[in-house]
Amino acid sequence: MKYILSSFCFLVMAPILMAQNVLRGLVTDANNTPLDGVEISYNDEALKTKSDGQFIWTITDNLSKTIHFKIEKAGYYPESKPVLVDDALDTLLAIKLKPLPNPRPNYIITKVKIEKEVLKVMDDKWGTDFKHAQYPKQYLDRVLTLNPGDDIQGAIDEVHDAGGGIVLLESGVFETGDLIIKSRVTLCGAGRDLTTIKHIGSGNFINQVPKMKLTDVVFKDLTFLGGNETGSGLNLRGDDNNRHERLMWQNVTVKNMGSHGVGISRVNHIIMDNSVFQHNGTRGGLHHNIYFLFVGHVLQSDCDMSFPSEGKSNKYTSAKYVFSQRCVMQEGKGNGIQADNNMAGYLFFHKLYMANFKRVALWFPCESYYNKFEYTEDPKWVPQHVILNKCKIVNNTWGAMWRIVRGPSYVINSYFDNEKIDMGLLKCDVKFQNSSFKTGNQAYTDVEQWPKDVKILW
């Protein structure tokens, strides 16, 4: 029997339970401590471990019985792991990484590898039109190390005023009131299971200096835990003529915020890598795990935006040049993703897994943000140039409901199996390649044909 390996659906957050058709592994250091953010790759496909060090790789068919995983993490010697597939199906692959003799500090970011297939599809369908996110610059000459009880805000102010630097938090729980983040600051912990910043304030967890442009900010290796009165986890409001730029989250958890986990507007160059945004938005359906408004150049990789409390997993309003690979969104009371409004376009979702949303997994309405309670039928109010590649959209009430999505837009090698409709398309020009729709799609030529149980302005 021959096999092919694919990281098509990787539920890294799941407990390790033995089952067929998947390879399961655990990556640790020499002291058996699980390693977060380890990249497991094979044949230009990849995934990353979460804080428990686990990974799950799904197997389909048609390749060799022996495969060679490449295992990499900054600060450790890379490993090549030969695996006999038949033997590995019923076992846990235990992988240990050996640290380099002079490992670089953990507060230095690691760049995200975009799967080669993505770049090829982008080139084939869009040429050079897509503009990728830029990484933040880090200022590494100044490091302030804090222990629980120390003043985080004072340290942020100090490294910012000195020209930039690192605020390094040791293991433990740091309680803090409302924080103000500033430019050229990296806020890093010892690991998201080791360092928690707990909010005990009554406003937003993190705000900005009013009317001051924010640049080159990194959050890394820690957990932000909201309190009973917390608003948004991060609240930024930029200026269209002078946008905030270059923000990054890596190996971070953001949870239990009353409003948005991350709620930012007028920001360019946003990177979210191997991070979890869950159980945010307890204040109602207008509050989400992530809310982007007028943003450009977004890279989301190996992130989990499941379990939005009341709102959506991710709302992309007026978002342009968005690339998301290997992200998971599950279990919502309403819609999973909403993308809408003017200036929206060039959205590429690769190996996206969406399941168990009570309404629509992929909701692309056609409404004016400024008059959203009146139906507006104009392509400028809905994303143009959209690609779904190797996505799995299952067990939602409706898979995707799109209106007037045009430009070179494609659904490629994707799988849909939902309760009522897989894709409902009103006046769209979307092309399908090698994709499967178990429930079936509906095409509409007039808004009067739109299903009555799918509200126009959800």
Side-chain angles (χ1 to χ4, degrees):
M1 184 175 181
K2 293 184 178 293
Y3 301 89
I4 186 170
L5 282 95
S6 171
S7 53
F8 179 72
C9 177
F10 63 101
L11 303 184
V12 180
M13 75 296 300
I16 286 191
L17 300 173
M18 297 309 154
Q20 293 185 347
N21 301 323
V22 293
L23 296 176
R24 301 173 185 267
L26 173 65
V27 186
T28 65
D29 64 13
N31 297 319
N32 295 319
T33 301
L35 293 177
D36 194 357
V38 179
E39 184 170 80
I40 316 295
S41 62
Y42 176 72
N43 272 6
D44 298 322
E45 294 190 273
L47 55 78
K48 287 188 175 180
T49 62
K50 294 295 186 284
S51 60
D52 58 8
Q54 299 178 16
F55 70 92
I56 300 175
W57 197 296
T58 301
I59 303 169
T60 53
D61 53 15
N62 293 329
L63 205 65
S64 61
K65 292 183 179 180
T66 303
I67 53 90
H68 293 265
F69 280 127
K70 189 175 181 181
I71 303 110
E72 298 176 280
K73 181 176 173 63
Y76 294 83
Y77 287 104
E79 291 283 343
S80 179
K81 179 79 171 177
V83 177
L84 288 171
V85 175
D86 286 332
D87 293 342
L89 289 176
D90 297 320
T91 61
L92 175 65
L93 300 175
I95 301 168
K96 290 185 185 293
L97 294 185
K98 181 180 178 182
L100 294 168
N102 295 299
R104 70 180 193 174
N106 74 305
Y107 50 73
I108 300 177
I109 61 173
T110 302
K111 290 190 175 180
V112 176
K113 294 180 183 178
I114 297 176
E115 292 191 16
K116 290 182 180 180
E117 177 184 356
V118 169
L119 300 176
K120 183 179 185 305
V121 173
M122 278 187 178
D123 183 65
D124 288 345
K125 306 303 185 187
W126 293 339
T128 58
D129 291 345
F130 191 88
K131 308 303 179 187
H132 291 275
Q134 299 173 6
Y135 284 83
K137 179 181 178 181
Q138 289 187 287
Y139 297 79
L140 306 177
D141 294 336
R142 188 172 295 100
V143 180
L144 290 184
T145 301
L146 306 186
N147 291 293
D150 291 341
D151 181 10
I152 296 176
Q153 187 64 62
I156 290 172
D157 295 344
E158 183 176 339
V159 297
H160 166 78
D161 292 345
I166 312 296
V167 176
L168 185 61
L169 308 180
E170 298 283 17
S171 297
V173 177
F174 292 74
E175 293 189 340
T176 182
D178 303 354
L179 294 173
I180 295 177
I181 192 64
K182 297 184 177 180
S183 294
R184 304 180 298 280
V185 172
T186 292
L187 186 61
C188 181
R192 67 175 117 183
D193 284 351
L194 299 174
T195 302
T196 295
I197 307 179
K198 182 178 179 181
H199 187 236
I200 56 173
S202 58
N204 297 312
F205 201 139
I206 302 177
N207 293 289
Q208 68 190 80
V209 177
K211 298 183 179 180
M212 183 178 292
K213 180 176 179 176
L214 186 68
T215 62
D216 300 306
V217 172
V218 174
F219 304 107
K220 192 172 186 297
D221 293 312
L222 48 77
T223 289
F224 293 97
L225 179 63
N228 293 332
E229 299 183 46
T230 305
S232 290
L234 176 69
N235 181 63
L236 300 181
R237 298 292 178 264
D239 184 331
D240 262 335
N241 298 316
N242 196 25
R243 291 186 171 207
H244 303 308
E245 291 187 316
R246 297 183 298 279
L247 277 68
M248 184 170 183
W249 290 254
Q250 189 163 59
N251 307 333
V252 170
T253 295
V254 178
K255 62 183 181 180
N256 296 356
M257 307 300 165
S259 185
H260 313 301
V262 171
I264 57 179
S265 69
R266 295 170 173 84
V267 181
N268 284 342
H269 306 294
I270 302 160
I271 300 175
M272 296 174 162
D273 175 43
N274 198 44
S275 292
V276 173
F277 305 88
Q278 292 185 356
H279 301 289
N280 301 297
T282 59
R283 292 183 178 176
L286 298 179
H287 305 267
H288 318 296
N289 277 334
I290 297 174
Y291 180 31
F292 292 141
L293 173 62
F294 298 115
V295 303
H297 316 282
V298 177
L299 167 58
Q300 295 173 305
S301 183
D302 298 281
C303 291
D304 189 331
M305 293 86 93
S306 300
F307 308 107
S309 295
E310 297 293 337
K312 300 170 179 66
S313 283
N314 206 141
K315 191 170 189 289
Y316 303 90
T317 296
S318 295
K320 193 169 186 178
Y321 304 125
V322 174
F323 171 59
S324 175
Q325 71 174 3
R326 305 190 302 258
C327 289
V328 174
M329 303 182 199
Q330 301 185 85
E331 304 292 344
K333 297 178 180 179
N335 305 323
I337 284 175
Q338 178 170 332
D340 63 355
N341 206 30
N342 64 326
M343 300 192 296
Y346 290 98
L347 310 182
F348 194 119
F349 297 100
H350 176 63
K351 295 181 181 174
L352 174 67
Y353 179 80
M354 299 191 73
N356 301 317
F357 287 95
K358 299 300 183 184
R359 290 181 178 173
V360 183
L362 291 158
W363 173 242
F364 290 7
C366 188
E367 64 182 36
S368 166
Y369 176 81
Y370 302 101
N371 193 14
K372 61 184 178 181
F373 295 107
E374 290 186 12
Y375 174 61
T376 308
E377 191 168 284
D378 189 320
K380 74 178 182 180
W381 301 118
V382 70
Q384 306 297 296
H385 304 82
V386 178
I387 294 177
L388 306 182
N389 185 64
K390 287 189 175 177
C391 294
K392 189 171 184 179
I393 315 297
V394 296
N395 299 326
N396 308 285
T397 305
W398 296 273
M401 299 299 289
W402 296 358
R403 299 199 289 269
I404 324 183
V405 175
R406 296 174 181 170
S409 296
Y410 300 85
V411 178
I412 305 168
N413 294 321
S414 292
Y415 179 86
F416 282 68
D417 186 2
N418 300 280
E419 181 183 340
K420 293 191 176 182
I421 298 174
D422 284 328
M423 296 194 77
L425 304 171
L426 171 64
K427 299 182 181 178
C428 293
D429 183 11
V430 178
K431 296 177 175 62
F432 303 98
Q433 298 178 359
N434 302 316
S435 293
S436 176
F437 304 92
K438 294 297 184 180
T439 304
N441 299 339
Q442 295 289 333
Y444 311 107
T445 58
D446 189 278
V447 72
E448 295 300 320
Q449 300 168 339
W450 194 255
K452 300 304 180 185
D453 51 352
V454 183
K455 294 183 180 179
I456 293 293
L457 298 174
W458 251 344

